Amino acid sequence: MASVKLPPITFLYGSQTGTSQDYASVLSNQARQFGFKDVTLTDMDKWKVLDSGKYEGPTGVNEDRELVVVCTATYNGMPPDNAERFDKFLDKSDAQGNERLLHGLQYAVFGIGNKNWRTYQYFPIKVDSRLDDLGAERFFLSGKGDTDGDIDSDFNDW
């Protein structure tokens, strides 16, 4: 049986209370069980792209496209403390000419919040939209976890 080479995958989390980190950790463990070898789990502010300000994506046709899965909450419409630098990167990159800054990157976002707040999902929606604006390609629909409901069910359904 031939084995399939799986791409590198990074799980980023933005969390105040640990829920997003827990979900990202579950996903990273599942990725390893599914055979992913190059798995990274880190908070959003420690994403390698933030240091250089650019994504070093695949240069050849046969190179793997990195997958990035973001699990993040929002607090009154603001990013969690460990995603403030990530948020500034998104804002700073909001300039003409950056439409291909993250070209070659594939991503998915799972957002956490309470739908009773008017700012429900504000930051996860911003992350999803800005990654798309910067040339990354969504490989899976965004998920929404509602802390006022059955958030674990929301996550498992996603």
Side-chain angles (χ1 to χ4, degrees):
M1 181 165 111
S3 65
V4 175
K5 184 175 182 287
L6 297 170
I9 187 166
T10 298
F11 296 91
L12 302 175
Y13 58 86
S15 190
Q16 295 291 99
T17 62
T19 304
S20 296
Q21 182 176 355
D22 290 346
Y23 287 151
S25 181
V26 165
L27 291 171
S28 69
N29 288 333
Q30 287 177 343
R32 286 183 184 91
Q33 291 172 355
F34 291 144
F36 284 84
K37 302 291 184 221
D38 187 355
V39 178
T40 302
L41 172 67
T42 188
D43 70 55
M44 293 173 76
D45 280 351
K46 293 181 181 168
W47 188 35
K48 63 185 177 186
V49 172
L50 301 184
D51 291 330
S52 66
K54 60 184 176 183
Y55 172 65
E56 300 293 337
T59 53
V61 217
N62 295 325
E63 283 190 56
D64 291 326
R65 295 176 65 192
E66 183 176 357
L67 306 176
V68 171
V69 178
V70 179
C71 294
T72 188
T74 192
Y75 296 94
N76 295 319
M78 303 303 293
D81 290 346
N82 64 348
E84 289 177 352
R85 187 172 169 225
F86 187 94
D87 185 48
K88 287 181 179 136
F89 166 78
L90 294 178
D91 290 343
K92 186 178 89 173
S93 302
D94 191 17
Q96 275 195 336
N98 282 336
E99 297 85 12
R100 296 183 53 82
L101 184 68
L102 299 178
H103 179 73
L105 182 77
Q106 294 183 308
Y107 74 95
V109 176
F110 184 78
I112 295 170
N114 184 318
K115 69 178 176 185
N116 291 317
W117 289 80
R118 65 178 176 77
T119 56
Y120 177 63
Q121 297 290 327
Y122 179 82
F123 184 63
I125 289 169
K126 176 182 180 179
V127 169
D128 181 57
S129 174
R130 291 296 299 131
L131 291 177
D132 182 61
D133 291 346
L134 295 171
E137 180 184 339
R138 188 180 303 106
F139 75 88
F140 198 76
L141 293 176
S142 296
K144 294 180 180 178
D146 179 19
T147 59
D148 190 50
D150 187 353
I151 190 170
D152 289 332
S153 178
D154 295 338
F155 176 71
N156 289 327
D157 288 349
W158 180 70

